[in-house]
Amino acid sequence: MENYAAPARPIVEAMTAAALAEPARAVAFQGAPGANSHVAATEVFPDGLPLPCFDFADALDAVKSGKADRAIIPIENSLHGRVADIHFLLPESGLVITGEHFLSIRHALMATGGRDGLVEAMSHPQALGQCRHWLRAHGIRPIAYADTAGAAARVAEMADPRVAALAPPRAAELYGLNLLAEDISDADSNMTRFVALARGGQPPVGDGPWMTSLIFEVKNIPAALYKAMGGFATNGVNMTKLESYQRGGSFAATEFYCDVVGRPGEAAFDRAIEELGFHSKWVRMLGTYAQARERG
């Protein structure tokens, strides 16, 4: 609790108490009340009880320990790329992806005073990056903070008219700040993709079309990735995302995260995964879920 700025603590305390009293309805999210993840949690689970967690690991641990039934975390943004290191966090947590959600991001500038005299804006690095041209044009220096709404609470606590926060508009209301400017992202198409997570054994929910997320490591041989991907091409299975990452800083073994249209049990999908497994050291499914937006 002490990790949050003072204006956020009573709100966090009340939300936490309500969620812990009914863990079957609890939805863990990273950030302070009013953050985009809080907004996503209420949109995806309108009957849920949002449970604020200071960082992503805490949100996943809340589900793993049974304090919450679900978690929702951002994984990528249309302007700024990867958000959370789901490649590392999710496999270690033992949770599975059960759904996805696309949230239109609308950043707002808020402070205890007015626009005159502002020299700094505090927010999550992703939000600062998504508004960097606007901030530069207005002579405002970006200051990184753990999350957007948390920055709003910290600005309210500081009560320094020279420092503003970038956060969702609702955060201004929650923390008693003046809303100085809205929709200040550098592009109107600013969108963040979230995934919902749950403990293992949860069957896919919905009618499809389906998406499956997985990670794998290719063998250390020439053209290994090319060979591993061949099964998707020959079986007509659409891969909508493929992202490489390094584990352990060795720069020797490359692992990949990918999103594939389809689900286990579909003949073409199963054949593609079988070929992927033949050319990989290992393949691990992260979850199958209904697409929030149809691809391909």
Side-chain angles (χ1 to χ4, degrees), residues 77 79-80 107 123-135 142 166 185-186 190:
N77 177 264
L79 299 183
H80 214 63
H107 295 302
S123 195
H124 188 278
Q126 283 278 338
L128 297 172
Q130 293 159 19
C131 303
R132 62 185 182 278
H133 297 306
W134 191 94
L135 293 174
L166 286 181
S185 296
D186 294 332
N190 192 358

Side-chain angles (χ1 to χ4, degrees), residues 75-96:
I75 61 170
E76 58 183 328
N77 177 264
S78 59
L79 299 183
H80 214 63
R82 185 192 303 176
V83 178
D85 282 330
I86 191 172
H87 321 85
F88 304 111
L89 293 172
L90 184 52
E92 295 169 359
S93 72
L95 304 182
V96 297

Side-chain angles (χ1 to χ4, degrees), residues 1-105:
M1 192 74 65
E2 63 276 2
N3 289 326
Y4 292 97
R9 290 174 195 163
I11 305 174
V12 171
E13 185 175 3
M15 292 175 64
T16 299
L20 294 181
E22 296 186 65
R25 293 176 58 199
V27 182
F29 70 92
Q30 184 273 330
N36 285 307
S37 293
H38 183 192
V39 176
T42 59
E43 289 186 0
V44 177
F45 303 104
D47 295 326
L49 295 171
L51 173 63
C53 300
F54 189 72
D55 58 30
F56 291 114
D58 290 341
L60 299 183
D61 286 344
V63 180
K64 187 176 180 180
S65 66
K67 292 180 180 178
D69 187 60
R70 294 283 192 277
I72 189 159
I73 66 169
I75 61 170
E76 58 183 328
N77 177 264
S78 59
L79 299 183
H80 214 63
R82 185 192 303 176
V83 178
D85 282 330
I86 191 172
H87 321 85
F88 304 111
L89 293 172
L90 184 52
E92 295 169 359
S93 72
L95 304 182
V96 297
I97 301 175
T98 60
E100 65 175 357
H101 181 67
F102 291 87
L103 179 68
S104 181
I105 304 300

